Amino acid sequence: MSSGKRYKFNGSTFAVQTGEGSPVTVTGASATNPVVISAASHGFVLGTVARLDNIDQPTELDGGTYAVDNPAAGTFELAGVDGTGYMAFDAGTPAAQAFPATFSDFCELTGMNQQGGGADQIEVSTICSTAKEFEQGLSDTGTLQLDFNLAPMEDVQTALREAELNGDQIAFKVVLPTDGGTCIMIGTVQSTSFQGTVNGVWTGSATIKLSGQIFWLET
């Protein structure tokens, strides 16, 4: 048998954001790559997802939802966020805050499929080109398809329907067994559906349009 690593679907966990915890006060945001947030006694761990609010500057960070990387005493990084050139930090009124996402395990999940959307191809052909020329544009992390046994009153399925209605971004977290790592995805719910057949169980599905990067963090 091959010695290459593999991870089973069963034994992994898949969790969906179903709310937010108590906020912590943000006292700084660096103009570096990646952005480092200052927040005393934040208690965040690797894989925490947090929404920033009431930040006057840099405006790029205000209202965004981010994966936490390299948490330390009093600071944490925003995974994949390049703050080079950002304005100096200025807290809003009331104080700038970070709201940690709360997650619920999706035990009704029967399958998931993340499909990348591919990167844009920007044509840069000129009068001197001998064939079409292209530069690669921004990548598209595509969509996330979830299939599940229907249990509409459970927290996760309620959260999916609410997110579809209000258009808010929510986070999704996959934790592979042992040392397989943690995956963080953020997106908006495009659609939900459910169906049933004779001699079967009610099932449902949800399609999420992913936004930004997909983050794999070491566990």
Side-chain angles (χ1 to χ4, degrees):
M1 180 179 292
S2 170
S3 61
K5 286 190 175 182
R6 60 188 67 82
Y7 302 97
K8 290 184 177 180
F9 188 73
N10 290 89
S12 305
T13 61
F14 186 95
V16 177
Q17 181 182 352
T18 52
E20 291 183 331
S22 299
V24 299
T25 299
V26 172
T27 57
S30 68
T32 57
N33 183 18
V35 170
V36 178
I37 298 296
S38 298
S41 304
H42 56 75
F44 294 173
V45 298
L46 185 69
T48 294
V49 174
R51 177 176 63 86
L52 301 182
D53 198 17
N54 295 329
I55 296 179
D56 282 354
Q57 290 291 348
T59 57
E60 293 89 344
L61 298 180
D62 189 48
T65 300
Y66 306 96
V68 169
D69 199 4
N70 295 318
T75 64
F76 57 88
E77 295 177 2
L78 303 182
V81 180
D82 184 354
T84 305
Y86 281 6
M87 297 287 289
F89 174 77
D90 182 18
T93 302
Q97 295 179 313
F99 292 80
T102 56
F103 288 86
S104 297
D105 287 346
F106 198 0
C107 290
E108 294 77 35
L109 186 72
T110 59
M112 65 150 284
N113 184 14
Q114 186 272 322
Q115 289 283 343
D120 291 333
Q121 297 297 310
I122 304 169
E123 185 172 352
V124 293
S125 307
T126 71
I127 192 172
C128 294
S129 298
T130 57
K132 283 189 175 182
E133 299 180 76
F134 296 89
E135 292 283 351
Q136 183 159 304
L138 294 174
S139 63
D140 178 0
T141 45
T143 59
L144 177 66
Q145 176 76 28
L146 304 179
D147 299 310
F148 48 87
N149 293 323
L150 186 68
M153 297 299 104
E154 291 299 302
D155 288 347
V156 167
Q157 295 182 41
T158 298
L160 290 172
R161 293 194 306 274
E162 290 178 349
E164 180 185 9
L165 287 172
N166 60 34
D168 289 343
Q169 286 189 338
I170 60 173
F172 303 84
K173 182 185 296 187
V174 179
V175 181
L176 299 185
T178 60
D179 61 351
T182 297
C183 176
I184 302 293
M185 297 171 281
I186 298 170
T188 53
V189 180
Q190 289 185 314
S191 65
T192 58
S193 63
F194 66 95
Q195 52 277 325
T197 58
V198 172
N199 198 31
V201 299
W202 287 97
T203 60
S205 62
T207 301
I208 293 93
K209 177 57 183 157
L210 298 176
S211 178
Q213 294 177 252
I214 295 174
F215 300 102
W216 280 99
L217 307 173
E218 291 186 8
T219 51

CSV table of all heavy atoms in Angstrom, one decimal, residues 13-81:
chain,number,residue,atom,x,y,z
A,13,THR,N,-14.3,17.1,10.6
A,13,THR,CA,-15.4,17.9,11.0
A,13,THR,C,-15.6,19.0,10.0
A,13,THR,O,-14.7,19.5,9.4
A,13,THR,CB,-15.2,18.5,12.4
A,13,THR,OG1,-14.0,19.3,12.4
A,13,THR,CG2,-15.0,17.4,13.4
A,14,PHE,N,-16.9,19.3,9.8
A,14,PHE,CA,-17.3,20.5,9.0
A,14,PHE,C,-18.2,21.3,9.8
A,14,PHE,O,-19.2,20.8,10.3
A,14,PHE,CB,-18.0,20.0,7.7
A,14,PHE,CG,-18.3,21.1,6.7
A,14,PHE,CD1,-17.4,21.3,5.7
A,14,PHE,CD2,-19.4,21.8,6.9
A,14,PHE,CE1,-17.7,22.4,4.8
A,14,PHE,CE2,-19.7,22.9,6.0
A,14,PHE,CZ,-18.9,23.1,4.9
A,15,ALA,N,-17.9,22.6,10.0
A,15,ALA,CA,-18.6,23.5,10.8
A,15,ALA,C,-19.0,24.7,10.1
A,15,ALA,O,-18.3,25.2,9.2
A,15,ALA,CB,-17.8,23.8,12.1
A,16,VAL,N,-20.2,25.3,10.4
A,16,VAL,CA,-20.7,26.4,9.8
A,16,VAL,C,-20.9,27.5,10.8
A,16,VAL,O,-21.3,27.3,11.9
A,16,VAL,CB,-22.1,26.1,9.1
A,16,VAL,CG1,-22.7,27.4,8.5
A,16,VAL,CG2,-21.9,25.0,8.0
A,17,GLN,N,-20.6,28.8,10.4
A,17,GLN,CA,-20.8,29.9,11.4
A,17,GLN,C,-22.3,30.1,11.6
A,17,GLN,O,-23.1,30.2,10.7
A,17,GLN,CB,-20.2,31.2,10.8
A,17,GLN,CG,-20.4,32.4,11.7
A,17,GLN,CD,-19.9,33.7,11.1
A,17,GLN,OE1,-19.3,33.7,10.1
A,17,GLN,NE2,-20.1,34.8,11.8
A,18,THR,N,-22.7,30.1,12.9
A,18,THR,CA,-24.1,30.2,13.3
A,18,THR,C,-24.3,31.4,14.2
A,18,THR,O,-25.4,31.7,14.6
A,18,THR,CB,-24.6,29.0,14.0
A,18,THR,OG1,-23.7,28.6,15.1
A,18,THR,CG2,-24.6,27.8,13.1
A,19,GLY,N,-23.2,32.2,14.4
A,19,GLY,CA,-23.4,33.4,15.3
A,19,GLY,C,-22.0,34.1,15.5
A,19,GLY,O,-21.0,33.8,14.9
A,20,GLU,N,-22.0,35.0,16.5
A,20,GLU,CA,-20.8,35.7,16.9
A,20,GLU,C,-20.7,35.7,18.4
A,20,GLU,O,-21.7,35.7,19.1
A,20,GLU,CB,-20.8,37.1,16.4
A,20,GLU,CG,-20.7,37.2,14.9
A,20,GLU,CD,-20.6,38.7,14.4
A,20,GLU,OE1,-21.2,39.6,15.1
A,20,GLU,OE2,-20.0,38.9,13.4
A,21,GLY,N,-19.5,35.6,18.9
A,21,GLY,CA,-19.2,35.7,20.3
A,21,GLY,C,-19.0,37.1,20.8
A,21,GLY,O,-19.2,38.1,20.0
A,22,SER,N,-18.6,37.2,22.0
A,22,SER,CA,-18.4,38.6,22.6
A,22,SER,C,-17.2,39.2,22.0
A,22,SER,O,-16.1,38.6,21.7
A,22,SER,CB,-18.1,38.4,24.1
A,22,SER,OG,-19.2,37.9,24.8
A,23,PRO,N,-17.3,40.5,21.6
A,23,PRO,CA,-16.2,41.2,20.9
A,23,PRO,C,-15.0,41.6,21.8
A,23,PRO,O,-15.2,41.6,23.1
A,23,PRO,CB,-16.9,42.5,20.4
A,23,PRO,CG,-18.0,42.8,21.4
A,23,PRO,CD,-18.5,41.4,21.8
A,24,VAL,N,-13.9,41.7,21.2
A,24,VAL,CA,-12.7,42.3,21.9
A,24,VAL,C,-12.3,43.6,21.3
A,24,VAL,O,-12.6,43.9,20.1
A,24,VAL,CB,-11.5,41.3,21.8
A,24,VAL,CG1,-11.8,40.0,22.5
A,24,VAL,CG2,-11.1,41.1,20.3
A,25,THR,N,-11.8,44.5,22.1
A,25,THR,CA,-11.4,45.8,21.6
A,25,THR,C,-10.1,45.8,20.8
A,25,THR,O,-9.1,45.2,21.2
A,25,THR,CB,-11.2,46.8,22.8
A,25,THR,OG1,-12.5,46.8,23.5
A,25,THR,CG2,-10.8,48.2,22.3
A,26,VAL,N,-10.2,46.4,19.6
A,26,VAL,CA,-9.0,46.5,18.7
A,26,VAL,C,-8.3,47.8,19.0
A,26,VAL,O,-9.0,48.9,18.9
A,26,VAL,CB,-9.4,46.3,17.3
A,26,VAL,CG1,-8.3,46.6,16.3
A,26,VAL,CG2,-10.0,44.9,17.0
A,27,THR,N,-7.0,47.8,19.2
A,27,THR,CA,-6.2,49.0,19.5
A,27,THR,C,-5.2,49.3,18.4
A,27,THR,O,-4.5,50.3,18.5
A,27,THR,CB,-5.5,48.9,20.8
A,27,THR,OG1,-4.7,47.7,20.8
A,27,THR,CG2,-6.6,48.8,21.9
A,28,GLY,N,-5.1,48.5,17.4
A,28,GLY,CA,-4.1,48.7,16.3
A,28,GLY,C,-4.3,47.8,15.2
A,28,GLY,O,-4.8,46.7,15.3
A,29,ALA,N,-3.8,48.3,14.0
A,29,ALA,CA,-3.8,47.5,12.8
A,29,ALA,C,-2.6,47.9,12.0
A,29,ALA,O,-2.5,49.1,11.6
A,29,ALA,CB,-5.1,47.6,12.0
A,30,SER,N,-1.6,47.0,11.7
A,30,SER,CA,-0.4,47.4,11.0
A,30,SER,C,-0.6,47.6,9.5
A,30,SER,O,-1.4,46.9,8.9
A,30,SER,CB,0.7,46.4,11.3
A,30,SER,OG,0.4,45.2,10.7
A,31,ALA,N,0.2,48.4,8.9
A,31,ALA,CA,0.2,48.6,7.5
A,31,ALA,C,1.3,47.7,6.9
A,31,ALA,O,2.3,48.1,6.3
A,31,ALA,CB,0.4,50.0,7.1
A,32,THR,N,1.2,46.4,7.1
A,32,THR,CA,2.2,45.4,6.7
A,32,THR,C,1.5,44.2,6.0
A,32,THR,O,0.3,44.2,5.9
A,32,THR,CB,2.9,44.8,8.0
A,32,THR,OG1,2.0,44.3,8.9
A,32,THR,CG2,3.7,46.0,8.7
A,33,ASN,N,2.3,43.3,5.5
A,33,ASN,CA,1.9,42.1,4.9
A,33,ASN,C,2.4,40.9,5.6
A,33,ASN,O,3.5,40.6,5.6
A,33,ASN,CB,2.4,42.0,3.4
A,33,ASN,CG,1.8,40.8,2.7
A,33,ASN,OD1,0.8,40.2,3.1
A,33,ASN,ND2,2.5,40.5,1.6
A,34,PRO,N,1.5,40.2,6.4
A,34,PRO,CA,0.1,40.4,6.5
A,34,PRO,C,-0.2,41.5,7.6
A,34,PRO,O,0.7,41.9,8.3
A,34,PRO,CB,-0.5,39.1,7.0
A,34,PRO,CG,0.7,38.5,7.8
A,34,PRO,CD,1.9,39.0,7.1
A,35,VAL,N,-1.5,42.0,7.6
A,35,VAL,CA,-1.9,42.9,8.7
A,35,VAL,C,-1.9,42.2,10.0
A,35,VAL,O,-2.3,41.1,10.2
A,35,VAL,CB,-3.3,43.4,8.4
A,35,VAL,CG1,-3.9,44.2,9.6
A,35,VAL,CG2,-3.4,44.2,7.1
A,36,VAL,N,-1.3,42.9,11.0
A,36,VAL,CA,-1.3,42.4,12.4
A,36,VAL,C,-2.2,43.3,13.2
A,36,VAL,O,-2.1,44.5,13.2
A,36,VAL,CB,0.1,42.5,13.0
A,36,VAL,CG1,0.1,42.0,14.4
A,36,VAL,CG2,1.1,41.6,12.2
A,37,ILE,N,-3.2,42.7,13.9
A,37,ILE,CA,-4.1,43.4,14.7
A,37,ILE,C,-3.7,43.3,16.2
A,37,ILE,O,-3.3,42.2,16.6
A,37,ILE,CB,-5.5,42.7,14.6
A,37,ILE,CG1,-6.1,42.8,13.1
A,37,ILE,CG2,-6.5,43.4,15.5
A,37,ILE,CD1,-6.3,44.2,12.6
A,38,SER,N,-3.8,44.4,16.8
A,38,SER,CA,-3.5,44.5,18.3
A,38,SER,C,-4.8,44.5,19.0
A,38,SER,O,-5.7,45.3,18.8
A,38,SER,CB,-2.7,45.8,18.6
A,38,SER,OG,-1.4,45.8,17.9
A,39,ALA,N,-4.9,43.5,20.0
A,39,ALA,CA,-6.1,43.4,20.8
A,39,ALA,C,-5.7,42.6,22.1
A,39,ALA,O,-5.4,41.4,22.0
A,39,ALA,CB,-7.2,42.7,20.1
A,40,ALA,N,-5.7,43.3,23.2
A,40,ALA,CA,-5.3,42.7,24.5
A,40,ALA,C,-6.2,41.6,24.9
A,40,ALA,O,-7.5,41.7,24.7
A,40,ALA,CB,-5.2,43.8,25.6
A,41,SER,N,-5.7,40.5,25.3
A,41,SER,CA,-6.5,39.4,25.9
A,41,SER,C,-7.5,38.9,24.9
A,41,SER,O,-8.7,38.7,25.3
A,41,SER,CB,-7.1,39.8,27.2
A,41,SER,OG,-6.1,40.2,28.1
A,42,HIS,N,-7.2,38.8,23.6
A,42,HIS,CA,-8.2,38.5,22.6
A,42,HIS,C,-8.7,37.0,22.8
A,42,HIS,O,-9.8,36.7,22.4
A,42,HIS,CB,-7.7,38.7,21.2
A,42,HIS,CG,-6.4,38.1,20.9
A,42,HIS,ND1,-6.3,36.7,20.6
A,42,HIS,CD2,-5.2,38.6,20.7
A,42,HIS,CE1,-5.1,36.4,20.3
A,42,HIS,NE2,-4.3,37.5,20.4
A,43,GLY,N,-7.8,36.1,23.2
A,43,GLY,CA,-8.2,34.7,23.3
A,43,GLY,C,-8.4,34.0,22.0
A,43,GLY,O,-8.9,32.8,22.1
A,44,PHE,N,-8.0,34.6,20.9
A,44,PHE,CA,-8.2,33.9,19.6
A,44,PHE,C,-7.2,32.8,19.4
A,44,PHE,O,-6.0,32.9,19.9
A,44,PHE,CB,-8.2,34.9,18.5
A,44,PHE,CG,-9.3,35.9,18.4
A,44,PHE,CD1,-9.2,36.9,17.5
A,44,PHE,CD2,-10.3,35.8,19.3
A,44,PHE,CE1,-10.3,37.9,17.5
A,44,PHE,CE2,-11.4,36.8,19.3
A,44,PHE,CZ,-11.3,37.8,18.4
A,45,VAL,N,-7.5,31.8,18.7
A,45,VAL,CA,-6.6,30.7,18.4
A,45,VAL,C,-6.5,30.5,16.9
A,45,VAL,O,-7.3,31.1,16.1
A,45,VAL,CB,-7.1,29.3,19.0
A,45,VAL,CG1,-7.1,29.4,20.5
A,45,VAL,CG2,-8.5,28.9,18.5
A,46,LEU,N,-5.6,29.7,16.4
A,46,LEU,CA,-5.4,29.5,15.0
A,46,LEU,C,-6.7,28.9,14.4
A,46,LEU,O,-7.3,28.0,15.0
A,46,LEU,CB,-4.3,28.4,14.8
A,46,LEU,CG,-3.9,28.2,13.3
A,46,LEU,CD1,-3.3,29.4,12.7
A,46,LEU,CD2,-3.0,26.9,13.2
A,47,GLY,N,-7.2,29.6,13.4
A,47,GLY,CA,-8.5,29.1,12.8
A,47,GLY,C,-9.7,29.9,13.2
A,47,GLY,O,-10.8,29.7,12.7
A,48,THR,N,-9.5,30.8,14.2
A,48,THR,CA,-10.6,31.7,14.6
A,48,THR,C,-11.0,32.5,13.4
A,48,THR,O,-10.1,32.9,12.6
A,48,THR,CB,-10.2,32.6,15.8
A,48,THR,OG1,-10.0,31.8,16.9
A,48,THR,CG2,-11.3,33.6,16.1
A,49,VAL,N,-12.2,32.8,13.2
A,49,VAL,CA,-12.7,33.8,12.2
A,49,VAL,C,-13.3,35.0,12.9
A,49,VAL,O,-14.1,34.8,13.8
A,49,VAL,CB,-13.7,33.1,11.3
A,49,VAL,CG1,-14.3,34.1,10.3
A,49,VAL,CG2,-13.1,32.0,10.5
A,50,ALA,N,-12.9,36.2,12.5
A,50,ALA,CA,-13.4,37.4,13.2
A,50,ALA,C,-13.8,38.4,12.2
A,50,ALA,O,-13.3,38.6,11.1
A,50,ALA,CB,-12.3,37.9,14.1
A,51,ARG,N,-14.9,39.2,12.6
A,51,ARG,CA,-15.4,40.3,11.9
A,51,ARG,C,-14.9,41.6,12.6
A,51,ARG,O,-15.1,41.7,13.8
A,51,ARG,CB,-16.9,40.3,11.8
A,51,ARG,CG,-17.5,41.5,11.0
A,51,ARG,CD,-19.0,41.3,10.9
A,51,ARG,NE,-19.7,41.3,12.2
A,51,ARG,CZ,-20.0,42.4,12.9
A,51,ARG,NH1,-19.8,43.6,12.4
A,51,ARG,NH2,-20.6,42.3,14.1
A,52,LEU,N,-14.3,42.5,11.8
A,52,LEU,CA,-13.9,43.8,12.4
A,52,LEU,C,-14.9,44.8,12.1
A,52,LEU,O,-15.6,44.9,11.1
A,52,LEU,CB,-12.6,44.2,11.7
A,52,LEU,CG,-11.4,43.3,11.8
A,52,LEU,CD1,-10.1,43.8,11.2
A,52,LEU,CD2,-11.1,42.9,13.3
A,53,ASP,N,-15.1,45.7,13.2
A,53,ASP,CA,-16.2,46.7,13.1
A,53,ASP,C,-15.7,48.0,13.8
A,53,ASP,O,-14.8,48.0,14.6
A,53,ASP,CB,-17.4,46.2,13.8
A,53,ASP,CG,-18.7,47.0,13.4
A,53,ASP,OD1,-18.6,47.7,12.4
A,53,ASP,OD2,-19.7,46.9,14.1
A,54,ASN,N,-16.3,49.1,13.4
A,54,ASN,CA,-16.0,50.5,13.9
A,54,ASN,C,-14.5,50.9,13.8
A,54,ASN,O,-13.9,51.5,14.6
A,54,ASN,CB,-16.3,50.5,15.4
A,54,ASN,CG,-17.8,50.3,15.7
A,54,ASN,OD1,-18.6,50.7,14.9
A,54,ASN,ND2,-18.2,49.7,16.8
A,55,ILE,N,-13.9,50.5,12.6
A,55,ILE,CA,-12.6,51.0,12.3
A,55,ILE,C,-12.7,52.1,11.3
A,55,ILE,O,-13.1,51.9,10.2
A,55,ILE,CB,-11.7,49.8,11.7
A,55,ILE,CG1,-11.5,48.7,12.8
A,55,ILE,CG2,-10.4,50.3,11.2
A,55,ILE,CD1,-10.7,47.5,12.3
A,56,ASP,N,-12.3,53.3,11.7
A,56,ASP,CA,-12.3,54.5,10.8
A,56,ASP,C,-11.3,54.4,9.7
A,56,ASP,O,-11.5,54.7,8.6
A,56,ASP,CB,-12.2,55.8,11.6
A,56,ASP,CG,-13.5,56.2,12.3
A,56,ASP,OD1,-14.5,55.5,12.1
A,56,ASP,OD2,-13.5,57.2,13.1
A,57,GLN,N,-10.1,54.0,10.2
A,57,GLN,CA,-8.9,53.8,9.2
A,57,GLN,C,-8.1,52.6,9.7
A,57,GLN,O,-8.0,52.4,10.9
A,57,GLN,CB,-8.0,55.0,9.2
A,57,GLN,CG,-8.6,56.2,8.5
A,57,GLN,CD,-8.8,56.0,7.0
A,57,GLN,OE1,-8.3,55.1,6.4
A,57,GLN,NE2,-9.5,57.0,6.4
A,58,PRO,N,-7.6,51.7,8.8
A,58,PRO,CA,-7.9,51.8,7.3
A,58,PRO,C,-9.3,51.3,7.0
A,58,PRO,O,-9.8,50.3,7.5
A,58,PRO,CB,-6.8,50.9,6.8
A,58,PRO,CG,-6.5,49.9,7.8
A,58,PRO,CD,-6.7,50.6,9.1
A,59,THR,N,-10.0,52.0,6.1
A,59,THR,CA,-11.3,51.7,5.8
A,59,THR,C,-11.5,50.3,5.1
A,59,THR,O,-12.5,49.7,5.2
A,59,THR,CB,-11.9,52.7,4.8
A,59,THR,OG1,-11.1,52.8,3.6
A,59,THR,CG2,-11.9,54.1,5.5
A,60,GLU,N,-10.3,49.8,4.5
A,60,GLU,CA,-10.4,48.5,3.9
A,60,GLU,C,-10.7,47.4,4.8
A,60,GLU,O,-11.2,46.3,4.4
A,60,GLU,CB,-9.0,48.2,3.2
A,60,GLU,CG,-8.7,49.1,2.0
A,60,GLU,CD,-8.0,50.4,2.5
A,60,GLU,OE1,-7.9,50.7,3.7
A,60,GLU,OE2,-7.4,51.0,1.6
A,61,LEU,N,-10.4,47.6,6.1
A,61,LEU,CA,-10.6,46.5,7.1
A,61,LEU,C,-12.0,46.5,7.7
A,61,LEU,O,-12.5,45.5,8.2
A,61,LEU,CB,-9.6,46.6,8.2
A,61,LEU,CG,-8.1,46.4,7.8
A,61,LEU,CD1,-7.2,46.5,9.0
A,61,LEU,CD2,-7.9,45.0,7.1
A,62,ASP,N,-12.7,47.7,7.7
A,62,ASP,CA,-13.9,47.8,8.4
A,62,ASP,C,-15.0,47.0,7.8
A,62,ASP,O,-15.3,47.0,6.6
A,62,ASP,CB,-14.4,49.3,8.4
A,62,ASP,CG,-15.5,49.5,9.4
A,62,ASP,OD1,-15.5,49.1,10.5
A,62,ASP,OD2,-16.5,50.2,8.9
A,63,GLY,N,-15.7,46.2,8.7
A,63,GLY,CA,-16.8,45.3,8.3
A,63,GLY,C,-16.4,44.0,7.7
A,63,GLY,O,-17.2,43.2,7.4
A,64,GLY,N,-15.1,43.8,7.5
A,64,GLY,CA,-14.6,42.5,6.8
A,64,GLY,C,-14.6,41.4,7.8
A,64,GLY,O,-14.4,41.5,9.0
A,65,THR,N,-14.7,40.2,7.2
A,65,THR,CA,-14.5,38.9,8.0
A,65,THR,C,-13.3,38.2,7.6
A,65,THR,O,-13.0,38.1,6.4
A,65,THR,CB,-15.7,38.0,7.7
A,65,THR,OG1,-17.0,38.7,8.1
A,65,THR,CG2,-15.6,36.7,8.5
A,66,TYR,N,-12.4,37.8,8.6
A,66,TYR,CA,-11.1,37.4,8.3
A,66,TYR,C,-10.7,36.1,9.1
A,66,TYR,O,-11.3,35.9,10.2
A,66,TYR,CB,-10.1,38.5,8.7
A,66,TYR,CG,-10.4,39.8,8.0
A,66,TYR,CD1,-11.1,40.8,8.7
A,66,TYR,CD2,-9.9,40.1,6.7
A,66,TYR,CE1,-11.4,42.0,8.1
A,66,TYR,CE2,-10.2,41.3,6.1
A,66,TYR,CZ,-10.9,42.2,6.8
A,66,TYR,OH,-11.2,43.4,6.2
A,67,ALA,N,-9.9,35.3,8.5
A,67,ALA,CA,-9.3,34.1,9.2
A,67,ALA,C,-8.1,34.6,10.0
A,67,ALA,O,-7.3,35.4,9.5
A,67,ALA,CB,-8.9,33.1,8.2
A,68,VAL,N,-8.0,34.1,11.2
A,68,VAL,CA,-6.9,34.5,12.1
A,68,VAL,C,-5.8,33.5,12.0
A,68,VAL,O,-5.9,32.3,12.0
A,68,VAL,CB,-7.4,34.4,13.6
A,68,VAL,CG1,-6.2,34.6,14.6
A,68,VAL,CG2,-8.4,35.6,13.8
A,69,ASP,N,-4.6,34.1,11.8
A,69,ASP,CA,-3.3,33.3,11.7
A,69,ASP,C,-2.3,33.8,12.7
A,69,ASP,O,-2.4,35.0,13.1
A,69,ASP,CB,-2.8,33.4,10.3
A,69,ASP,CG,-1.8,32.2,9.9
A,69,ASP,OD1,-1.6,31.3,10.8
A,69,ASP,OD2,-1.2,32.3,8.8
A,70,ASN,N,-1.4,32.9,13.2
A,70,ASN,CA,-0.4,33.2,14.1
A,70,ASN,C,-0.8,34.1,15.3
A,70,ASN,O,-0.3,35.2,15.5
A,70,ASN,CB,0.8,34.0,13.3
A,70,ASN,CG,1.4,33.1,12.3
A,70,ASN,OD1,1.7,31.9,12.6
A,70,ASN,ND2,1.7,33.6,11.1
A,71,PRO,N,-1.8,33.6,16.0
A,71,PRO,CA,-2.2,34.4,17.2
A,71,PRO,C,-1.1,34.4,18.3
A,71,PRO,O,-0.5,33.3,18.5
A,71,PRO,CB,-3.5,33.6,17.7
A,71,PRO,CG,-3.3,32.2,17.2
A,71,PRO,CD,-2.6,32.4,15.9
A,72,ALA,N,-1.0,35.5,18.9
A,72,ALA,CA,0.0,35.6,20.0
A,72,ALA,C,-0.6,36.5,21.1
A,72,ALA,O,-1.7,37.0,21.0
A,72,ALA,CB,1.3,36.2,19.5
A,73,ALA,N,0.2,36.6,22.2
A,73,ALA,CA,-0.3,37.5,23.3
A,73,ALA,C,-0.5,38.9,22.8
A,73,ALA,O,0.4,39.6,22.4
A,73,ALA,CB,0.6,37.4,24.4
A,74,GLY,N,-1.8,39.3,22.7
A,74,GLY,CA,-2.1,40.7,22.4
A,74,GLY,C,-2.1,41.0,20.9
A,74,GLY,O,-2.5,42.2,20.5
A,75,THR,N,-1.8,40.1,20.0
A,75,THR,CA,-1.9,40.3,18.6
A,75,THR,C,-2.4,39.1,17.8
A,75,THR,O,-2.3,37.9,18.3
A,75,THR,CB,-0.5,40.7,18.0
A,75,THR,OG1,0.4,39.6,18.2
A,75,THR,CG2,0.1,41.9,18.7
A,76,PHE,N,-2.8,39.3,16.6
A,76,PHE,CA,-3.1,38.2,15.7
A,76,PHE,C,-3.0,38.7,14.3
A,76,PHE,O,-3.2,39.9,14.0
A,76,PHE,CB,-4.4,37.5,15.9
A,76,PHE,CG,-5.6,38.4,15.9
A,76,PHE,CD1,-6.3,38.7,14.7
A,76,PHE,CD2,-6.1,39.1,17.0
A,76,PHE,CE1,-7.4,39.5,14.6
A,76,PHE,CE2,-7.2,39.9,17.0
A,76,PHE,CZ,-7.8,40.1,15.8
A,77,GLU,N,-2.7,37.8,13.3
A,77,GLU,CA,-2.6,38.2,11.9
A,77,GLU,C,-3.9,38.0,11.2
A,77,GLU,O,-4.6,37.0,11.6
A,77,GLU,CB,-1.5,37.4,11.2
A,77,GLU,CG,-0.1,37.8,11.7
A,77,GLU,CD,1.0,36.9,11.1
A,77,GLU,OE1,0.7,36.1,10.2
A,77,GLU,OE2,2.2,37.1,11.4
A,78,LEU,N,-4.2,38.8,10.2
A,78,LEU,CA,-5.3,38.5,9.3
A,78,LEU,C,-4.7,37.7,8.1
A,78,LEU,O,-4.0,38.3,7.2
A,78,LEU,CB,-5.9,39.8,8.8
A,78,LEU,CG,-6.4,40.7,9.9
A,78,LEU,CD1,-7.1,42.0,9.3
A,78,LEU,CD2,-7.4,40.0,10.8
A,79,ALA,N,-5.1,36.5,8.0
A,79,ALA,CA,-4.5,35.6,7.0
A,79,ALA,C,-4.8,36.1,5.6
A,79,ALA,O,-5.9,36.5,5.2
A,79,ALA,CB,-5.1,34.2,7.1
A,80,GLY,N,-3.7,36.3,4.8
A,80,GLY,CA,-3.9,36.7,3.4
A,80,GLY,C,-4.2,38.1,3.1
A,80,GLY,O,-4.4,38.5,2.0
A,81,VAL,N,-4.1,39.0,4.1
A,81,VAL,CA,-4.5,40.4,4.0
A,81,VAL,C,-3.2,41.2,3.9
A,81,VAL,O,-2.5,41.3,4.9
A,81,VAL,CB,-5.4,40.9,5.1
A,81,VAL,CG1,-5.7,42.4,4.9
A,81,VAL,CG2,-6.7,40.1,5.1
